[in-house]
């Protein structure tokens, strides 16, 4: 990206448009801007998660994800450009395998709850899903590479797994949904 921000309050967006990385202007409610905003919100929420006590290795993983989300945002801001590489999706697949290996199988749905860190990971998961939906909507209107969609899909899965890991960090557990099926099973 050749343009660097040296002044933040430019007032160029006062009319409801924003500039893309290729110097075109689009309406602030365009699908592209929605996708960029959701990715930015996701990155910010990961920043909040990084403020929590985390197991070794997780902070480095999250910082790398933040860099990749910045690449994704840059790619979204320059139509036709590629910054997010397929290797980034593979890195998430590897992290998923590593962290999921330590967890017991789920017997029931879990609530987005538990420790503050786990709950924040669930917030990241839901924002990643929204960002994914925004990228899919944009891809239905304009040609996009598949890596951004895949990355957000894997990232939401990883955030779910990390939430489970974080709930167990100090001897805790998942917070299970109290379904009727589980209540019947417990009663018998």
């Amino acid at each position: 990206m050749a343009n660097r921000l040296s002044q933040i309050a430019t007032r160029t967006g006062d009319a409801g448009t924003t500039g893309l990385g290729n110097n075109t202007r689009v309406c602030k409610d365009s699908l592209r801007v929605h996708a960029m905003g959701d990715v930015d919100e996701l990155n910010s929420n990961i920043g909040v998660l990084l403020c929590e006590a985390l197991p070794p290795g997780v902070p480095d993983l999250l910082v790398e994800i933040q860099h990749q989300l910045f690449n994704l945002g840059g790619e979204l801001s320059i139509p036709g450009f590629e910054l997010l590489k397929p290797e980034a999706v593979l890195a998430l697949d590897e992290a998923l395998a590593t962290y999921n290996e330590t967890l017991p199988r789920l017997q029931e749905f879990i609530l987005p709850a538990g420790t503050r860190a786990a709950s924040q990971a669930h917030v990241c998961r839901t924002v990643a899903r929204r960002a994914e939906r925004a990228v899919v909507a944009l891809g239905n209107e304009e040609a996009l590479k598949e890596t951004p969609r895949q990355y957000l899909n894997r990232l939401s899965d990883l955030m779910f797994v990390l939430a489970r890991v974080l709930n167990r960090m100090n001897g805790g557990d998942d917070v299970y949904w109290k379904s009727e099926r589980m209540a019947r099973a417990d009663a018998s």
Side-chain angles (χ1 to χ4, degrees):
M1 296 180 64
N3 297 334
R4 297 287 182 214
L5 295 175
S6 58
Q7 182 181 355
I8 299 303
T10 62
R11 294 175 179 74
T12 56
D14 288 352
T17 64
T18 192
L20 297 179
N22 64 358
N23 294 320
T24 60
R25 296 201 67 78
V26 296
C27 189
K28 287 186 177 186
D29 71 350
S30 74
L31 292 175
R32 185 170 294 279
V33 174
H34 276 285
M36 290 165 37
D38 289 344
V39 168
D40 187 32
E41 183 181 348
L42 173 56
N43 209 340
S44 297
N45 273 290
I46 290 172
V48 174
L49 179 54
L50 278 162
C51 295
E52 298 294 329
L54 301 168
V58 173
D60 291 338
L61 173 63
L62 294 177
V63 168
E64 177 59 24
I65 289 168
Q66 285 193 301
H67 285 280
Q68 295 301 336
L69 287 173
F70 218 79
N71 286 338
L72 174 52
E75 185 169 324
L76 291 170
S77 77
I78 306 171
F81 199 67
E82 179 185 23
L83 282 170
L84 186 66
K85 305 295 184 204
E87 294 80 21
V89 177
L90 293 175
L92 292 182
D93 283 335
E94 290 171 7
L96 267 165
T98 298
Y99 288 103
N100 209 21
E101 185 177 303
T102 67
L103 297 170
R105 287 180 49 94
L106 282 171
Q107 301 300 316
E108 187 58 79
F109 289 106
I110 63 171
L111 298 178
T115 66
R116 190 167 69 179
S119 296
Q120 182 61 35
H122 279 295
V123 169
C124 293
R125 172 186 59 79
T126 61
V127 176
R129 287 285 186 219
R130 180 165 23 95
E132 180 187 7
R133 291 190 303 271
V135 167
V136 167
L138 177 60
N140 288 336
E141 299 294 321
E142 301 180 34
L144 289 181
K145 302 204 179 306
E146 61 185 17
T147 304
R149 184 185 68 250
Q150 292 171 343
Y151 190 83
L152 292 167
N153 183 275
R154 280 327 176 290
L155 182 54
S156 62
D157 291 343
L158 179 60
M159 287 297 145
F160 179 83
V161 168
L162 287 179
R164 295 189 70 210
V165 167
L166 295 171
N167 267 336
R168 285 169 173 71
M169 192 168 77
N170 293 315
D173 197 0
D174 296 313
V175 179
Y176 291 95
W177 172 48
K178 293 180 182 174
S179 71
E180 290 183 25
R181 183 181 67 81
M182 288 293 285
R184 284 191 304 270
D186 289 344
S188 47

